[in-house]
Amino acid sequence: MQSLVAFISRANEVGMNPIYDLLNHHNGKRNAKLSTMEEGVQLLVVGGPVEKGQELLLSYGVKTASTMYRDYSFVEDWPTCWNFKDRASGDNFAFVLFPNGVAAINPTGDFLKQIWHSNTALVEYQANARKHVESLPLGDIDRFTLAARNHLDGFPTSLQEDRSILVHRQDDLMKQELATAGDASDAEDIIAAIEYRIEFKKALNEALVYGE
């Protein structure tokens, strides 16, 4: 199982790439990419020169936050792609969140391609997100905000309650680790699930506020 997880989280279309697979991911700050050739794989600099000591960042692809968390155990800080299903209508909704609460609601395929192919400053990403939202019919935005509000209201716990639960779970895990050297993976999985739920609620609330 560990070998499978390592392959899923580190391999690309040509398999495992030693050294290259150690590079971190960031779609917004990507400055390098892998180029596949007959001889193997080459690392290319993109978006301008890289300064000495600057971290090289790849893109693992434009993926939803849930997929990133499942495969790589983290939620990207920005741009973060989220999706959810409205419990009432069954409709699927998506949004891409940027810093300062800027959200691209119901992003198109072309908008997502811009994230994948371009290397621009944050302010340009945010400007493109605003332009995209301004182009949407008001009815689409209203449906999104209604679905987002209903989704948040449908959770059995509030964001503040989740934070309190997380603290208690972390305390319990620490006590368990001190008391025994046994497997604490179940407790760690529960904590990870709570952490993800907190990030999702925060993101959905920001998108809701932006849509309103």
Side-chain angles (χ1 to χ4, degrees):
M1 179 59 72
Q2 290 180 338
S3 298
L4 176 61
V5 171
F7 183 82
I8 291 174
S9 63
R10 294 185 177 274
N12 61 22
E13 63 271 13
V14 297
M16 300 287 283
N17 296 305
I19 306 301
Y20 294 151
D21 64 7
L22 298 178
L23 271 64
N24 288 323
H25 160 91
H26 199 301
N27 276 322
K29 299 179 181 179
R30 177 176 59 124
N31 57 11
K33 70 175 183 178
L34 296 180
S35 177
T36 305
M37 305 175 296
E38 291 185 3
E39 297 82 5
V41 178
Q42 183 178 21
L43 184 66
L44 302 177
V45 172
V46 296
V50 175
E51 302 295 332
K52 181 179 179 180
Q54 182 179 350
E55 182 180 7
L56 293 177
L57 297 166
L58 293 173
S59 172
Y60 299 169
V62 180
K63 303 176 181 180
T64 61
S66 58
T67 299
M68 292 294 294
Y69 198 76
R70 180 196 66 194
D71 293 347
Y72 306 106
S73 300
F74 69 88
V75 174
E76 187 173 12
D77 54 354
W78 71 270
T80 320
C81 302
W82 298 91
N83 63 340
F84 67 97
K85 189 173 185 177
D86 182 29
R87 296 184 178 96
S89 66
D91 294 334
N92 292 308
F93 293 91
F95 62 97
V96 181
L97 193 63
F98 297 89
N100 303 317
V102 177
I105 296 170
N106 296 340
T108 62
D110 288 339
F111 184 90
L112 296 176
K113 286 179 182 178
Q114 289 179 1
I115 296 176
W116 172 251
H117 291 294
S118 65
N119 298 92
T120 59
L122 172 59
V123 291
E124 294 183 51
Y125 282 118
Q126 291 171 318
N128 290 335
R130 293 188 184 97
K131 186 183 298 183
H132 164 74
V133 173
E134 290 171 358
S135 71
L136 295 176
L138 289 178
D140 288 357
I141 298 177
D142 289 342
R143 281 190 290 273
F144 174 86
T145 57
L146 177 61
R149 189 179 298 107
N150 289 339
H151 206 76
L152 285 169
D153 291 342
F155 282 108
T157 55
S158 66
L159 182 57
Q160 188 59 41
E161 288 171 332
D162 280 345
R163 287 172 172 153
S164 178
I165 293 171
L166 178 61
V167 171
H168 289 307
R169 288 287 186 174
Q170 289 171 333
D171 289 343
D172 290 343
L173 176 60
M174 186 177 299
K175 293 175 183 177
Q176 180 179 345
E177 290 175 339
L178 291 174
T180 177
D183 184 14
S185 58
D186 288 345
E188 291 171 347
D189 288 344
I190 292 173
I191 288 174
I194 298 171
E195 290 174 335
Y196 178 82
R197 188 169 67 197
I198 288 173
E199 290 301 315
F200 174 60
K201 287 181 178 180
K202 287 166 52 180
L204 189 55
N205 186 68
E206 287 190 55
L208 171 59
V209 171
Y210 189 76
E212 292 178 333

